Amino acid sequence: MTATRTPGLPALEDGLLISTNPASGDEAGRVPVADEAAVTEAVAAARTAAAWWAGLGFDGRKERLLAWRAVLADRIEELGELTELEGGKPAADAVVEATAAIEHIDWAARNARRVLGPRKVRSRVMVLEHSGHLEYQPYGVVGVIGPWNYPILTPVGSISGALAAGNAVVFKPSEYTPVVGQWLVDTFAEVVPEQPVFQAVHGLGEVGGFLCRAGVNKVAFTGSTATGKKVMAACAETLTPVIIEAGGKDAMIVDADADIAAAAEAAVWGGMTNAGQTCIGIERVYAVAPVYDAFVAAVVEKAGKLRTGHEIGPITMPRQLDVIKRHIDDALDRGGEAVLGGRESVQAPYVSPTVLVDVPEDSAAVREETFGPTLTITKVADADEAVTKANAVPYGLGGSVFGKANAIRIARRMRSGMVAVNSALAFVGNANLPFGGVGDSGFGRIHGDDGLREFARAKAVSVRRGPSLIPAMTFERTPAQVQRLIKTVKMLYARKR
């Protein structure tokens, strides 16, 4: 760490990307900037590495991934401190993030064979003489474009699945957190020194475009919806498949039989952890009328104890401060009330916890992703109204429901990829569950069985095991055999009279 620069703004100097702390401006580190040729070269090297890595088989990859997991666990404090230095996130929060990433690596390594290994599949009437076999083959080289808000957990969710499936990975970390990204690559190289199975390419947004066009076989992207569309457009040029995990505007529904204290604690955590810079963060709450007042009071009491510079870190991207201020101002100008914080909450580089009520449903604070430590709380007549309003935005990433008798039924009705019942954000820590959204929140899944399958192609193989009992797929079939086929189909599938 040497110079002090403009807080949070990455700088380019002499072919290097210089990363700075968003609160202090202290330099966190320097990484080389990749031009288009360097990205193409990295992908070419990854292709050779991918063949070697796939050849290790499930057991060989498992051994090395578990070794990487152990390195991260052994040095988790170092990773937490580096994340705090570069992104401003409290080190304790970074440790929680790293713990979840470690568990995802462990799960992917241990479950890849079960999910992706070859298996026999039962045949059907027309092809009884053939046995069916299914296997999943790695794509080859997977490009991962990661975000700055969770620079460990979010990319590792894709990276661990891609590696466990047998792919090599070229990783473009956010320009706001390149040092953490390079640290992940370097620690992996300590346990897999033979080939460049996991590489990083650094730079501003254009480097992500280079990666999409460099011949990778699939891209996993996490970031804003607007950038996700650009990634899709670039990948469409070569029909490169993509996984898009984009923005969110997640809602919590608090039903009449909810534990109010627990719901308030979860709303504050879900809305304000990481200074609200969480794609699956709770930004809207719909509380039914009988518990609304008590819930608002509990949220204000709990959120009012949080301090900027301690539990609430800085806003990583300086321009996001303008977005947060615009949302708060719009809500208040249109009749909303700040029961905690307000216009004065935005004091660069921090935003104090802000709780808004009586905010119109068509306001920016309700419709657009805020990405700051703010909550809107709206009174509704019942859970039906809450679900209708929760589903009225174009996003559909995660959500939360608090209640007893009907909580799971309410959760099923929410238009989202994930829902936590009587908690917030819990699904992201469960490596068994798929993670991803619908609508403007993207498509595709990481984590869990579905996430592993995203990083491998299904390959079907049929093998003849004897003569055809009812020849169908041949020009040599006879009229008598066709009649036998008709008789068989009617016997098995026609309506019984």
Side-chain angles (χ1 to χ4, degrees), residues 223-411:
S224 71
T225 301
T227 304
K229 292 176 180 178
K230 294 178 181 178
V231 168
M232 284 187 66
C235 289
E237 296 172 12
T238 50
L239 289 181
T240 300
V242 295
I243 303 168
I244 301 291
E245 196 261 278
K249 191 69 180 177
D250 290 4
M252 173 185 285
I253 294 174
V254 183
D255 206 5
D257 57 355
D259 181 328
I260 298 305
E265 189 278 329
V268 173
W269 167 257
M272 300 183 185
T273 183
N274 199 32
Q277 300 169 116
T278 305
C279 57
I280 53 170
I282 303 299
E283 296 201 2
R284 305 173 290 148
V285 183
Y286 297 100
V288 300
V291 299
Y292 172 82
D293 290 337
F295 176 78
V296 171
V299 167
V300 170
E301 189 270 332
K302 293 177 184 296
K305 296 177 181 179
L306 304 178
R307 300 164 297 162
T308 57
H310 296 272
E311 297 87 0
I312 305 295
I315 300 302
T316 302
M317 295 176 63
R319 68 174 181 270
Q320 194 65 29
L321 292 161
D322 295 332
V323 174
I324 298 168
K325 185 177 189 306
R326 176 172 61 82
H327 286 195
I328 294 173
D329 288 345
D330 179 62
L332 298 178
D333 290 344
R334 300 184 60 194
E337 177 188 357
V339 291
L340 179 68
R343 300 183 200 272
E344 69 282 1
S345 293
V346 181
Q347 302 288 335
Y350 296 100
V351 177
S352 300
T354 297
V355 179
L356 303 165
V357 299
D358 299 326
V359 179
E361 286 296 294
D362 61 349
S363 68
V366 173
R367 299 286 302 176
E368 301 174 14
E369 189 173 38
T370 304
F371 239 52
T374 68
L375 282 174
T376 64
I377 306 178
T378 302
K379 182 190 295 186
V380 292
D382 52 32
D384 287 340
E385 183 183 359
V387 170
T388 297
K389 290 185 173 179
N391 290 346
V393 301
Y395 296 104
L397 194 52
S400 173
V401 178
F402 269 80
K404 296 183 178 69
N406 297 308
I408 293 178
R409 283 189 285 271
I410 294 168

Side-chain angles (χ1 to χ4, degrees), residues 81 129 132 134 261 385 399 495:
E81 291 167 2
E129 69 275 19
L134 173 65
E385 183 183 359
R495 288 180 295 176

